[in-house]
Amino acid sequence: MSTERIFNFSAGPSVLPLTVLEQAAAEMTNYRGSGMSVMEMSHRSKVYLNIFEEVKSDFRRIMKIPDTHEILFLHGGATLQFSGVPLNLIGKTGKADYAVTGNFSGLAAKEAKKYGEINIACDTEDKNHTYIPPQSALKLDPQASYFHYCSNNTIYGTEWKYVPETGDVPLVCDMSSNIMSIPVDVSKYGLIYAGVQKNMAPAGAAVVILDKSLAGHEHPLTPKLMSYKINIDGDSMHNTPPCYTIYMLGLVLKWLDTQGGIEGMEKIKAAKAKMLYDMLDESKMFVGCAEKEARSDMNVTFKTDNEELDNKFIKAATAAGFENLKGHRVLGGMRASIYNAMPTEGVEALALFMRDFERNN
Ligand SMILES: *Cc1c(COP(=O)(O)O)cnc(C)c1O
């Protein structure tokens, strides 16, 4: 095995900043003089509570989260929230709106159907999820308890470029794959959730940011660990939280500060995505899968006109140190996930490699 790090384009779990990994390694066996690893500490110990409080306050500062909203670090990834959201929120009217623009929003809608009447506000399957509908195409139910959408479609490589207008109906958003890549006005949302393993940390937790006034109305059969109220009251420590993942998230937040915070990240990620999309627009071999206006700056999906050539490309790219470029099985082709921690050099090198491959094939 090589000792060199490769460029890892994995869709998740995904690349982490090298300096974060190095710091975690340096602190692995003895965290700042505590004589223990963070992995070995009681979550109720003073030293861990200090870590936890700092992560939470850094998170609030970096995402500019108003006092009306609570931050929770929960188990079960984004998928558990597909169930947690309806269990906690649908009781208001028994109905909810779901925008289906890809795989995960479809799964979320399917799960929610167990708990209430679900109105599909849009479904982009008619064009294989290659686009995001405009506001005017959303079929909204004013009686909905909430409106759910997914801001970035990890598999299809599309991203919402606007925040849906839903009047008094609270917005709920799965931001798993683009959180912290663009500034978000949190006050517009009733609830935001994200699995951490795309853009924030190693796998093992989901972050939930919610308007506190929405908590406390859960279905009586809601498992207690899924009740937002119980998790707020316990400050995410009703039971043992994903301690180490939260610590790693904290290191990533400190790294984000060195990149100019979310505003800095937005510029960096836009420049990275542009490199690949410019390449695709010029190419006669590769084409992007998503419609131009809907292209994701996090997951760049593309293909050639034949599967054999796709496979040849993936093989050659892997041999050259570009890993995990194979597209998701539902879409085929290629996908380069260029989350916050993917260095600009990695994207630059990939664009160059693609140009070379096209010239030689
Ligand atoms: C990866 C992903 C999920 C699933 O996350 P888990 O943490 O594995 O449950 C859900 N939504 C989006 C947008 C994702 O990218």
Side-chain angles (χ1 to χ4, degrees), residues 11-13 76-82 103-105 107-108 148 150-155 174-178 193-198 203-206 299 335 339:
T79 304
L80 199 65
Q81 299 310 316
F82 296 172
N103 174 68
F104 293 111
S105 48
L107 293 174
H148 179 283
C150 174
S151 55
N152 184 75
N153 298 289
T154 320
I155 291 177
D174 175 357
M175 292 192 186
S176 293
S177 53
N178 71 347
Y193 66 94
V196 298
Q197 72 274 24
K198 314 290 166 63
N299 309 95
R335 170 176 53 175
Y339 298 122

Side-chain angles (χ1 to χ4, degrees), residues 138-154:
L138 301 177
K139 293 193 267 323
L140 301 174
D141 175 1
Q143 293 299 311
S145 300
Y146 60 90
F147 172 96
H148 179 283
Y149 76 113
C150 174
S151 55
N152 184 75
N153 298 289
T154 320

Side-chain angles (χ1 to χ4, degrees), residues 4 6 37 59 61 63 83 117 131 146 163 194 205 211 226 250 283 295-296 315 334 342-343:
E4 290 284 306
I6 47 86
S37 169
F59 201 100
R61 172 178 56 79
M63 272 198 75
S83 327
E117 198 182 310
Y131 70 105
Y146 60 90
V163 178
D211 181 333
M226 291 170 75
S283 173
R295 284 169 164 176
S296 163
K315 221 173 142 195
M334 282 74 76
M342 168 55 64

Side-chain angles (χ1 to χ4, degrees), residues 111-264:
E111 177 67 10
K113 280 180 185 158
K114 291 182 185 166
Y115 305 107
E117 198 182 310
I118 301 306
N119 166 51
I120 301 298
C122 67
D123 187 344
T124 53
E125 199 176 3
D126 58 344
K127 291 191 207 162
N128 199 25
H129 301 305
T130 50
Y131 70 105
I132 297 294
Q135 171 77 39
S136 60
L138 301 177
K139 293 193 267 323
L140 301 174
D141 175 1
Q143 293 299 311
S145 300
Y146 60 90
F147 172 96
H148 179 283
Y149 76 113
C150 174
S151 55
N152 184 75
N153 298 289
T154 320
I155 291 177
Y156 294 91
T158 60
E159 189 168 10
W160 288 67
K161 310 286 167 156
Y162 68 96
V163 178
E165 281 292 340
T166 55
D168 293 334
V169 174
L171 271 181
V172 174
C173 187
D174 175 357
M175 292 192 186
S176 293
S177 53
N178 71 347
I179 193 167
M180 296 206 169
S181 71
I182 36 169
V184 167
D185 180 353
V186 175
S187 69
K188 285 188 175 168
Y189 291 85
L191 189 149
I192 293 167
Y193 66 94
V196 298
Q197 72 274 24
K198 314 290 166 63
N199 231 358
M200 297 192 287
V207 174
V208 173
I209 303 159
L210 86 153
D211 181 333
K212 283 179 272 194
S213 70
L214 294 177
H217 308 288
E218 67 269 30
H219 187 282
L221 290 180
T222 304
K224 64 179 183 172
L225 275 179
M226 291 170 75
S227 152
Y228 296 136
K229 176 82 168 64
I230 287 177
N231 283 302
I232 290 171
D233 291 348
D235 199 9
S236 301
M237 294 214 194
H238 184 74
N239 73 333
T240 315
C243 303
Y244 195 76
T245 294
I246 293 168
Y247 155 78
M248 287 294 289
L249 168 60
L251 298 187
V252 171
L253 295 175
K254 297 291 187 202
W255 169 82
L256 210 62
D257 276 336
T258 70
Q259 307 296 302
I262 294 180
E263 288 75 16

Side-chain angles (χ1 to χ4, degrees), residues 345-357:
E345 307 86 77
V347 180
E348 235 160 30
L350 177 62
L352 262 179
F353 179 82
M354 289 170 70
R355 286 201 168 87
D356 282 347
F357 183 87

Side-chain angles (χ1 to χ4, degrees), residues 290-326:
E291 280 186 9
K292 267 193 189 178
E293 313 75 62
R295 284 169 164 176
S296 163
D297 281 356
M298 295 282 110
N299 309 95
V300 178
T301 50
F302 58 99
K303 43 175 85 175
T304 69
D305 63 2
N306 79 80
E307 212 182 309
E308 219 170 285
L309 192 56
D310 286 351
N311 289 334
K312 188 176 178 193
F313 172 77
I314 292 162
K315 221 173 142 195
T318 307
F322 304 99
E323 293 264 358
N324 294 312
L325 285 170
K326 194 170 165 53

Side-chain angles (χ1 to χ4, degrees), residues 50-67:
N50 283 339
I51 294 173
F52 183 86
E53 285 312 319
E54 193 166 345
V55 176
K56 221 174 135 179
S57 73
D58 283 347
F59 201 100
R60 185 176 290 282
R61 172 178 56 79
I62 287 173
M63 272 198 75
K64 301 187 170 66
I65 298 173
D67 290 341

